[in-house]
Amino acid sequence: MKLTLGITSCTPEWQLLLSQIGVPSSTVDLSAASDLSHLPSIIVSSKLTASEKLNALEYLSSGGTILTEADTAQILFSIKTRFQHVRYIEPQFDDIFQTVRSGFFDGKLKLPKDATHLMSDSGQSLIQTVRHGDGVALILPGGFISGVLDSSVRRRSFSTAGPIFPSERVSRRSKGVIRTVVEKSLQFLFGERQLPLVTLSPFPDGASTVFNFRIDTDFSSEDDVKRLYDLCRQHSITATWFVETASAARWIKLYAQMEDQEMGLHCFKHRVFASFSKNQKNVWRGLDLLTGERIHPEGFAAPFGLWSQSLSKAVEHHGFTYSSEFALDYDNLPFYPFLGERFSTVLQVPVHPISTSSLRNAHHSLEDIKAYFDFVIAAHTQYRLPLFFYDHPSNANLDALNWLFERIGDRSIQQMTLADYSRWWIERSATKWTPFLEDGKIRTERSRHPASLNVQIHRGVHEWAVTEMKDEIDLSDLSFRHEAAAATESPMSVRSAYTWKMMVNDMLHNYWKFRL
Ligand SMILES: [Zn+2]
């Protein structure tokens, strides 16, 4: 049996999510009288006509599974719905979504009234299951999936055992949480049919995470840069540097002399402008200084982690491979941002947005900072997220970074520059492949075969294994791991409060944003 997911309309939000998850899919036409029983599951993402509704219900009756949103479920099953503002998601006692991380949504959703899964701040669950004949459907709230296209920004607190929550201005919605809700839904629906869900691993060579140290050089002195570079060399860290070029113009050759480091562009002036032409010019002036030293960056990271369509088009105009802005996303897997009518050609690589200076600003001692990074390393490994940390040379806590680099070395966590990971991810995205289940074995057909590509095989929501992508994978040869319970984080009721400290940080942010 082909293990390809069906989808009625591959809208931009679904295209983005399915590519991140790495699940093969094909478009299905529900109006055709063809037999759909060969499809393990169908995402019904379009409005249904009367005949399409009949075919969808018949597919369900005969044991099929469907993932859809509340608007479509009103037509399919006549469910009752109601609009509600959902501030955050916090799964508890949930047999499908227990291992999904808590996160912010902060928007109006159309909720299925009889939902019993995925708890929100209102005490109301967000996801309903409907059984119909031999089949089952999961109903997500209306407006939930399009949350991944949102580009608004809020200051958010991050979970810590330290004295005050560290915070940063990041994407308003926890898009990584939306993705994992979809992943868990698909694992559940395939599992209901006793079928494995086979997806591409987000990491090469069977790694369970990868590490990168990103440095934004904002107004650092030459000595600060040298000190941080020396620390990186001491620990064999190949960091990714995003150079703020205007203040470093006199000594910019230092960056060309560094060994085994990746050079990217931060900016010329540390500003983000409203217009394409001003952004384009700022990028051009920064690039001009770097290329004068024979540095040809593949990556860009905007000042203040800001993202906008006009900036994104300016970065695209200069042919960058990737960019990295936590105002668009953080703690998630890469994706191509949607620009309203098309996808950008520049891959977005999310990082973890809390640095040692954010932690010191939140009164963390060295021991608190170590405990914080230990928690993030454990959580990201568990959620299969990259460990992409960032910092600044001018106010980095070198003692904490010395400890962090030792930790990464001790754990033998694979290092990659952001450029290496981006190039690998682009290869992953371009791989067309189809898995088949035949006599307890997974057979794969594929367009190309990057040697480092691995697949994840999920048995329901609780068990998974990772293995190299081969022509044939014998399921009985794999050692399946049990999905661990979600990491314990600070309660969302506390994390979602907007404190005086956050207000002060927002005021300072606005001051710096417009002053420089
Ligand atoms: Zn900066």
Side-chain angles (χ1 to χ4, degrees):
M1 181 172 191
K2 221 184 201 180
L3 296 172
T4 304
L5 180 67
I7 182 161
T8 59
S9 170
C10 206
T11 56
E13 51 271 42
W14 278 112
Q15 195 177 327
L16 190 160
L17 281 165
L18 296 181
S19 173
Q20 279 182 320
I21 296 169
V23 58
S25 62
S26 61
T27 310
V28 290
D29 181 2
L30 283 180
S31 67
S34 60
D35 181 16
L36 301 168
S37 60
H38 62 284
L39 290 164
S41 191
I42 300 177
I43 294 174
V44 182
S45 49
S46 50
K47 289 207 167 71
L48 297 177
T49 63
S51 67
E52 287 170 342
K53 175 183 165 176
L54 280 178
N55 286 337
L57 289 175
E58 196 182 307
Y59 164 72
L60 262 185
S61 297
S62 62
T65 65
I66 281 179
L67 180 62
T68 193
E69 288 184 275
D71 312 69
T72 306
Q74 280 178 301
I75 301 167
L76 261 180
F77 310 112
S78 309
I79 63 155
K80 292 195 173 66
T81 60
R82 70 161 177 219
F83 280 104
Q84 194 165 332
H85 187 91
V86 171
R87 287 166 68 211
Y88 58 79
I89 296 161
E90 193 163 40
Q92 40 187 270
F93 311 114
D94 195 314
D95 52 353
I96 304 175
F97 300 100
Q98 187 67 46
T99 54
V100 171
R101 194 172 202 181
S102 330
F104 295 96
F105 191 83
D106 196 11
K108 204 194 230 180
L109 289 172
K110 186 188 263 191
L111 304 187
K113 248 184 150 179
D114 296 323
T116 51
H117 291 284
L118 200 66
M119 187 52 79
S120 71
D121 59 293
S122 62
Q124 160 87 43
S125 294
L126 304 184
I127 300 180
Q128 185 176 345
T129 47
V130 173
R131 297 204 176 260
H132 181 89
D134 292 334
V136 60
L138 274 186
I139 301 161
L140 306 169
F144 185 68
I145 293 301
S146 61
V148 298
L149 301 184
D150 186 76
S151 58
S152 52
V153 182
R154 291 287 182 281
R155 181 168 292 278
R156 296 296 187 209
S157 294
F158 286 75
S159 186
T160 181
I164 299 178
F165 289 125
S167 72
E168 184 51 85
R169 287 180 60 80
V170 293
S171 67
R172 176 166 64 152
R173 303 211 158 120
S174 307
K175 296 172 188 173
V177 172
I178 299 177
R179 171 180 59 79
T180 45
V181 166
V182 172
E183 274 182 355
K184 281 286 148 204
S185 301
L186 294 175
Q187 290 165 19
F188 168 76
L189 293 171
F190 275 64
E192 283 290 293
R193 302 198 65 173
Q194 312 297 323
L195 293 171
L197 173 69
V198 190
T199 61
L200 295 175
S201 168
F203 305 115
D205 303 318
S208 48
T209 184
V210 291
F211 172 78
N212 174 262
F213 187 56
R214 163 183 150 180
I215 302 161
D216 295 4
T217 68
D218 311 27
F219 313 105
S220 305
S221 69
E222 202 175 347
D223 283 346
D224 285 336
V225 170
K226 279 182 182 159
R227 267 193 291 271
L228 188 52
Y229 171 64
D230 286 345
L231 185 69
C232 290
R233 294 290 289 161
Q234 213 177 306
H235 292 275
S236 307
I237 296 288
T238 303
T240 295
W241 298 71
F242 291 104
V243 182
E244 174 270 309
T245 54
S247 77
R250 280 184 303 104
W251 47 272
I252 203 152
K253 65 173 183 305
L254 174 64
Y255 293 108
Q257 292 161 349
M258 290 183 179
E259 286 173 39
D260 290 329
Q261 309 290 306
E262 180 200 350
M263 290 301 144
L265 177 65
H266 196 33
C267 54
F268 178 67
K269 287 276 179 213
H270 200 267
R271 288 284 301 270
V272 170
F273 301 93
S275 75
F276 168 81
S277 62
K278 282 187 175 167
N279 283 323
Q280 193 276 114
K281 195 172 165 201
N282 200 33
V283 173
W284 177 81
R285 291 181 75 185
L287 267 181
D288 195 44
L289 280 170
L290 290 183
T291 50
E293 296 298 330
R294 301 205 177 130
I295 297 171
H296 300 282
E298 289 176 75
F300 177 85
F304 308 104
L306 291 173
W307 185 92
S308 70
Q309 286 202 15
S310 75
L311 176 65
S312 182
K313 285 177 182 170
V315 172
E316 194 177 41
H317 176 83
H318 285 286
F320 285 93
T321 307
Y322 76 93
S323 80
S324 179
E325 286 84 25
F326 39 74
L328 187 64
D329 203 2
Y330 61 96
D331 292 352
N332 198 3
L333 301 175
F335 62 97
Y336 290 101
F338 190 63
L339 299 177
E341 69 258 343
R342 63 176 175 85
F343 284 97
S344 168
T345 58
V346 182
L347 187 73
Q348 174 65 214
V349 184
V351 299
H352 183 66
I354 297 299
S355 64
T356 56
S357 44
S358 338
L359 292 164
R360 277 194 304 187
N361 182 277
H363 304 183
H364 281 50
S365 65
L366 179 59
E367 290 312 308
D368 294 331
I369 295 176
K370 290 179 185 175
Y372 178 83
F373 282 123
D374 259 342
F375 169 76
V376 178
I377 291 170
H380 280 219
T381 311
Q382 180 186 337
Y383 297 120
R384 298 194 278 290
L385 289 168
L387 286 167
F388 293 161
F389 293 119
Y390 101 110
D391 224 308
H392 300 99
S394 54
N395 49 9
N397 184 326
L398 295 184
D399 290 339
L401 293 177
N402 184 53
W403 171 88
L404 175 67
F405 295 162
E406 265 172 22
R407 202 51 140 207
I408 297 298
D410 290 348
R411 304 258 169 104
S412 309
I413 297 172
Q414 187 182 332
Q415 275 196 64
M416 285 181 98
T417 64
L418 294 184
D420 287 341
Y421 187 63
S422 300
R423 274 186 253 107
W424 178 82
W425 188 272
I426 290 166
E427 280 274 306
R428 175 191 186 268
S429 307
T431 305
K432 301 268 174 281
W433 65 296
T434 310
F436 296 85
L437 180 67
E438 285 163 7
D439 305 324
K441 292 185 177 112
I442 308 279
R443 184 170 64 77
T444 59
E445 285 176 3
R446 52 200 183 268
S447 62
R448 52 166 83 201
H449 191 191
S452 54
L453 219 50
N454 278 243
V455 289
Q456 291 179 166
I457 299 168
H458 302 267
R459 278 201 306 223
V461 295
H462 297 300
E463 287 184 318
W464 66 286
V466 62
T467 185
E468 192 189 327
M469 186 190 261
K470 291 182 289 207
D471 293 343
E472 205 173 78
I473 301 160
D474 195 331
L475 291 176
S476 59
D477 289 345
L478 300 178
S479 49
F480 281 83
R481 311 176 204 186
H482 204 81
E483 188 87 66
T488 309
E489 300 193 62
S490 316
M492 289 298 281
S493 55
V494 190
R495 268 182 68 197
S496 63
Y498 187 70
T499 61
W500 67 268
K501 179 83 180 162
M502 292 166 81
M503 192 173 74
V504 169
N505 282 334
D506 269 339
M507 283 161 61
L508 283 172
H509 170 90
N510 286 329
Y511 172 74
W512 286 111
K513 197 164 92 177
F514 295 111
R515 182 175 175 264
L516 298 168

